């Protein structure tokens, strides 16, 4: 089955700096790589995702890059703001089958210092 | 369109008591999931259901049972609650198969305390 590793576990940046979180996956059949943001006391919510046929995707200040050969993908947040402080989770799975477990990485706690 | 609805939102149990967490989705999704999240920890998969009538174990299934009652509903049962099961439980669902993106939609969570 899929195994997802995520680094770092905690990240502290100054407001306005960039933040990068990296995930690695093990199953080459995985074709979908989402990133979820979870604010304190709230449910996880999708912020950006990428499919295996794309190398990079951007949405305003956030971007995700995928390296299928190395089996890793990264979340990039530029011009960080205090409201970016949250826990971020990555996942990797195969959307073509409903029988694929959806396993999340252990999470990264991001703190943006004003 | 309520999305994913979980009940109850809060529950306190004594060790050895049983209870069922209910989850329902109105998005016609075929796959449903139960996760637990301990304080400061990540999301660990307990059980999932790829389609109506099927269920499979996730990463941490011990002490739990599930029922996929129909396409909308997926319940999680604790037969004999233990303090180690104190956690926040999230239900999630997604469309699977074909060309859909596979985004997981989460419920608001159920906070369970076992004394």
């Amino acid at each position: 089955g899929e195994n997802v590793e995520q680094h770092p576990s905690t990240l502290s940046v100054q407001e306005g700096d960039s933040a990068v979180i990296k995930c690695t996956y093990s199953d080459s059949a995985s074709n979908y790589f989402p990133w979820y943001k979870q604010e304190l006391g709230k449910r996880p919510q999708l912020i950006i995702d990428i499919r295996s046929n794309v190398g990079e995707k951007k949405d305003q200040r956030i971007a995700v890059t995928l390296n299928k050969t190395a089996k890793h993908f990264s979340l990039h947040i530029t011009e960080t703001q205090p409201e970016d402080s949250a826990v971020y989770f990555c996942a990797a799975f195969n959307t073509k089958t409903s029988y694929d477990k959806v396993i999340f990485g252990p999470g990264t706690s991001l703190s943006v210092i004003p | 369109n309520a999305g994913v609805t979980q009940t109850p939102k809060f529950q306190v149990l004594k060790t050895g008591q049983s209870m069922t967490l209910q989850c329902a989705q109105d998005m016609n999704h075929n796959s449903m999931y139960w996760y637990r999240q301990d304080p400061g920890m990540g999301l660990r998969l307990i059980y999932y259901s790829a389609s109506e009538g099927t269920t499979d174990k996730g990463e941490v299934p011990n002490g739990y049972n599930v029922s996929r009652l129909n396409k909308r509903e997926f319940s999680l049962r604790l037969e004999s609650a233990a303090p180690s099961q104190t956690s926040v439980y999230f239900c999630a669902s997604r469309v699977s198969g074909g060309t859909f993106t596979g985004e997981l939609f989460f419920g608001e969570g159920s906070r369970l305390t076992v004394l």
Side-chain angles (χ1 to χ4, degrees):
Chain A
E2 181 64 272
N3 181 46
V4 180
E5 297 184 355
Q6 183 173 346
H7 298 280
S9 57
T10 60
L11 181 59
S12 186
V13 299
Q14 291 290 137
E15 183 177 358
D17 287 350
S18 295
V20 181
I21 304 170
K22 297 181 179 179
C23 285
T24 61
Y25 62 100
S26 59
D27 190 349
S28 57
S30 292
N31 66 344
Y32 178 65
F33 309 91
W35 285 92
Y36 282 77
K37 176 183 181 182
Q38 186 180 28
E39 297 176 349
L40 192 62
K42 301 280 184 69
R43 76 186 92 183
Q45 293 199 300
L46 181 72
I47 55 169
I48 195 167
D49 55 15
I50 192 168
R51 306 198 75 170
S52 58
N53 58 350
V54 176
E56 183 176 2
K57 183 177 179 181
K58 288 183 179 179
D59 183 3
Q60 299 183 348
R61 295 186 300 106
I62 60 173
V64 57
T65 58
L66 171 65
N67 183 326
K68 285 190 297 182
T69 303
K71 294 198 186 74
H72 66 71
F73 56 109
S74 299
L75 176 70
H76 304 255
I77 305 174
T78 59
E79 300 173 18
T80 54
Q81 301 169 4
E83 51 265 39
D84 294 328
S85 295
V87 180
Y88 292 81
F89 296 98
C90 62
F93 58 98
N94 185 349
T95 60
K96 295 180 180 177
T97 173
S98 58
Y99 290 90
D100 212 29
K101 299 178 184 181
V102 180
I103 303 296
F104 285 86
T108 296
S109 179
L110 173 64
S111 297
V112 179
I113 304 165
Chain B
N1 189 340
V4 179
T5 303
Q6 292 181 231
T7 56
K9 288 186 170 53
F10 300 93
Q11 184 73 49
V12 178
L13 291 176
K14 293 181 180 178
T15 297
Q17 287 185 318
S18 62
M19 77 156 299
T20 299
L21 297 175
Q22 307 285 355
C23 175
Q25 51 89 12
D26 60 3
M27 297 173 282
N28 202 35
H29 289 171
N30 41 346
S31 296
M32 298 186 73
Y33 306 81
W34 276 106
Y35 293 90
R36 64 176 286 175
Q37 185 173 37
D38 300 332
M41 301 289 285
L43 298 158
R44 292 187 291 169
L45 181 64
I46 306 171
Y47 270 94
Y48 69 108
S49 171
S51 62
E52 184 179 351
T54 69
T55 60
D56 283 288
K57 295 178 180 179
E59 301 170 279
V60 288
N62 291 344
Y64 304 95
N65 286 304
V66 290
S67 296
R68 182 74 182 268
L69 305 170
N70 47 55
K71 191 170 186 179
R72 290 187 65 247
E73 298 172 290
F74 188 37
S75 62
L76 179 71
R77 182 160 178 85
L78 287 70
E79 291 291 352
S80 179
S84 60
Q85 294 178 304
T86 293
S87 191
V88 178
Y89 291 84
F90 286 100
C91 177
S93 70
R94 71 177 180 103
V95 172
S96 54
T99 58
F100 297 105
T101 60
E103 177 183 354
L104 247 69
F105 292 84
F106 284 85
E108 290 185 303
S110 298
R111 186 175 297 275
L112 174 66
T113 301
V114 183
L115 302 175

